[in-house]
Amino acid sequence: MALHPRRASPEERKALLLMERTGYIPLELTPYFAWRISEERREEYDRRAIRVDSPLADLLKKLPAPWLGAIARNLGVKKQGKKQDWIPRIVSRLRDPKRLREIVRGLPVDARLALAGVLKRGGWWPLLDLEREFGAMAGDGWFWEDEPPSSILGQLRAHGLLFIGQARVGRRRRQVAVIPKDLREPLAQLLQDPEALPPEARSRTATTRALERLAAFYATLERPLLPLEDLNDFLRQVHPREVLEVEEDVEDFLLGMEDLEMKSADDVAGHHLSLWMRRLRYLYVGEVPLARKRRMLRTTARLYQCLAERGRVMRITAERISEAVVEITAPTRDLGKIPLPPPLGGELLLRLQDPEGNEYELVMNDYWLVAACAVLFTGDWDAMEEEAAWVRDGARKRERIRWLRRLPEWVWLELLTIFDPEEIDLIREWFYEHEMSELSAW
């Protein structure tokens, strides 16, 4: 699972916990692997050779059947006969000025802006630059007839207006996005029409799209760590070439801090960032690449610097975050770890809710007890409860054990996501020799 991570749904998070414990892949993760295979097929196809001056018919001939079928459906072309029989009908539809106008006007305004941008550059554009402006195609997959592409560029591709491949640019080959040569002039004339591309739409930028994406994501959060206006101000300071990536990092930061139950931006410390990185393996299905993790952390440091300059967090907080990011990202082959301050027992770790709406607040004492059951008693709650009669503060520990035993198994698994094998001796010592404390060090 080294490629194509995506954010995990609540059901997938539980499945990931179960997989880590049992070694078996739960059925809930099957859709992810099917999606991943679909993504890999699309990306492999997008590395095929392409000529930047190719006409529409030549480009259509090279498309796989699911893509050609999606184009035919979107254009209202009948899919009678063999795949190659559809191509002349698609070409005829797109060369018809009236039909082309209807097709273009039916596209989202950002898709029309992308067409205009590619045409402005002569009909083709390096894909990396185009994606920086209009967003990546991640998630568009392979089976476009069943699941139409949702990205801006994917929608253009699914209408036969944009094609992706590798072409020689200067002395090396690069991935490029190409508008068919025979559609460039009619599209350029069409997009000069204010009704096809209103003048106010031309002012939209990558920053505009980043702000809109952040607003949509922000609305899904239950307890946002920061006000939306502060996040918007930060994105407006970011260079347009990287703003869409930075916006994605901001989403990940907000999601991670909500997962950690952080209540104030000034409360975030280096050990929280380190714990966030460890918990990405449950917040995402598929391994998040190391380079992406580093980018998330460095964006977080930049965000805090902006917040400090605006007086939204203390400067000492921003400095602490910056130092922590340097420390975590310093190793070359992995991320460094910042240990948590020694806990006392009452630290809130998780607040969970089951499908029936029941809420569970779990503290460090609960983690120690669940971990002790797993590693000292191989999951045998009966043996652990019996042994607890002879340990220090045994009555309170037995009472908490009984409460934990009544919880659903997935709650225990959620607690074990932070288990570190190096803590076994500490857990053993706590269970046998220490009292349960309700105080918190965090």
Side-chain angles (χ1 to χ4, degrees):
M1 297 171 63
L3 299 174
H4 302 293
R6 73 175 186 193
R7 288 177 187 150
S9 67
E11 294 74 21
E12 288 173 332
R13 288 185 64 184
K14 295 175 186 177
L16 287 167
L17 295 170
L18 183 61
M19 182 176 70
E20 181 160 293
R21 182 180 180 187
T22 65
Y24 295 102
I25 299 176
L27 290 175
E28 290 84 353
L29 294 181
T30 303
Y32 163 73
F33 288 104
W35 171 85
R36 172 177 158 178
I37 292 171
S38 179
E39 282 288 278
E40 289 174 350
R41 288 187 69 182
R42 176 184 60 80
E43 292 184 352
E44 181 181 1
Y45 188 89
D46 287 348
R47 289 191 289 269
R48 293 191 177 190
I50 191 173
R51 292 181 58 184
V52 297
D53 59 350
S54 295
L56 176 61
D58 289 352
L59 293 169
L60 290 171
K61 289 176 184 177
K62 298 180 180 180
L63 293 185
W67 298 6
L68 198 62
I71 292 172
R73 182 190 60 195
N74 290 336
L75 301 184
V77 171
K78 293 182 178 180
K79 296 184 289 184
Q80 296 176 339
K82 297 180 179 179
K83 164 188 162 182
Q84 297 303 317
D85 298 331
W86 311 343
I87 293 177
R89 301 173 200 149
I90 293 173
V91 172
S92 176
R93 185 63 53 94
L94 287 173
R95 284 182 174 175
D96 183 321
K98 182 179 179 180
R99 294 294 182 86
L100 183 62
R101 183 179 301 107
E102 293 173 354
I103 292 165
V104 170
R105 288 184 178 180
L107 294 169
V109 65
D110 281 337
R112 285 175 266 166
L113 282 170
L115 279 177
V118 177
L119 290 168
K120 184 179 178 180
R121 289 159 178 80
W124 64 273
W125 198 354
L127 181 60
L128 181 60
D129 295 337
L130 184 59
E131 288 185 321
R132 283 172 173 162
E133 180 70 25
F134 294 97
M137 296 178 287
D140 282 350
W142 180 264
F143 300 101
W144 292 359
E145 286 187 278
D146 300 325
E147 298 182 13
S150 58
S151 73
I152 295 171
L153 304 186
Q155 293 178 64
L156 290 174
R157 300 180 72 182
H159 284 80
L161 299 174
L162 192 71
F163 297 79
I164 307 297
Q166 284 196 339
R168 184 168 295 281
V169 179
R171 295 184 177 181
R172 59 191 182 99
R173 300 187 69 82
R174 298 180 65 181
Q175 254 187 317
V176 295
V178 175
I179 293 176
K181 187 174 182 179
D182 45 342
L183 292 183
R184 293 173 187 174
E185 184 174 345
L187 281 172
Q189 293 177 354
L190 177 59
L191 291 171
Q192 290 176 0
D193 184 349
E195 292 186 6
L197 190 58
E200 60 271 18
R202 296 181 183 274
S203 63
R204 289 177 58 81
T205 63
T207 302
T208 309
R209 287 179 275 278
L211 294 172
E212 290 173 350
R213 293 185 185 188
L214 181 59
F217 172 79
Y218 194 88
T220 68
L221 297 174
E222 295 182 7
R223 298 174 297 276
L225 184 67
L226 292 161
L228 180 59
E229 54 268 27
D230 289 343
L231 299 170
N232 287 342
D233 286 341
F234 169 62
L235 290 181
R236 291 189 184 101
Q237 295 181 15
V238 175
H239 194 284
R241 283 178 59 84
E242 59 173 342
V243 70
L244 291 175
E245 288 186 345
V246 168
E247 187 278 330
E248 187 177 33
D249 296 338
V250 170
E251 288 188 16
D252 285 317
F253 171 73
L254 294 173
L255 187 66
M257 295 306 103
E258 184 170 81
D259 178 64
L260 294 176
E261 299 273 353
M262 301 305 302
K263 294 180 174 59
S264 166
D266 273 307
D267 291 340
V268 178
H271 60 267
H272 295 120
L273 300 184
S274 189
L275 185 57
W276 168 35
M277 290 295 105
R278 288 167 59 186
R279 288 187 62 81
L280 282 177
R281 66 183 189 272
Y282 307 107
L283 295 175
Y284 272 81
V285 191
E287 183 180 350
V288 179
L290 179 59
R292 173 81 180 279
K293 293 178 182 177
R294 294 181 187 276
R295 196 187 78 192
M296 289 180 190
L297 290 164
R298 287 166 179 156
T299 294
T300 300
R302 293 168 63 185
L303 170 62
Y304 266 82
Q305 181 62 36
C306 174
L307 293 170
E309 291 172 356
R310 290 174 49 81
R312 301 306 191 188
V313 299
M314 295 184 293
R315 288 195 175 275
I316 193 172
T317 302
E319 292 170 3
R320 183 178 68 220
I321 293 298
S322 179
E323 291 170 0
V325 168
V326 170
E327 181 178 347
I328 297 172
T329 59
T332 56
R333 297 190 178 183
D334 200 356
L335 294 179
K337 293 182 180 179
I338 297 179
L340 293 168
L344 300 176
E347 294 79 8
L348 178 65
L349 294 182
L350 297 171
R351 182 180 288 114
L352 305 174
Q353 187 178 70
D354 64 20
E356 287 73 37
N358 300 311
E359 287 195 354
Y360 311 102
E361 286 194 357
L362 300 151
V363 299
M364 180 57 69
N365 289 324
D366 300 319
Y367 161 67
W368 282 330
L369 288 171
V370 171
C373 182
V375 300
L376 303 182
F377 299 93
T378 61
D380 189 337
W381 284 104
D382 289 328
M384 182 180 181
E385 186 175 344
E386 182 178 345
E387 183 72 8
W390 308 101
V391 304
R392 188 168 183 180
D393 206 5
R396 295 177 65 203
K397 288 176 181 173
R398 292 183 78 183
E399 181 182 355
R400 198 64 179 178
I401 288 169
R402 294 185 185 115
W403 179 78
L404 286 167
R405 293 185 67 173
R406 294 195 296 269
L407 301 185
E409 183 179 6
W410 64 266
V411 176
W412 311 337
L413 296 175
E414 189 81 18
L415 272 174
L416 290 174
T417 62
I418 61 173
F419 175 68
D420 186 341
E422 296 181 0
E423 297 177 343
I424 293 177
D425 290 338
L426 182 150
I427 291 168
R428 179 183 290 107
E429 178 184 336
W430 174 85
F431 180 69
Y432 283 100
E433 301 178 17
H434 291 267
E435 294 183 358
M436 284 182 55
S437 171
E438 296 179 0
L439 297 177
S440 174
W442 304 342

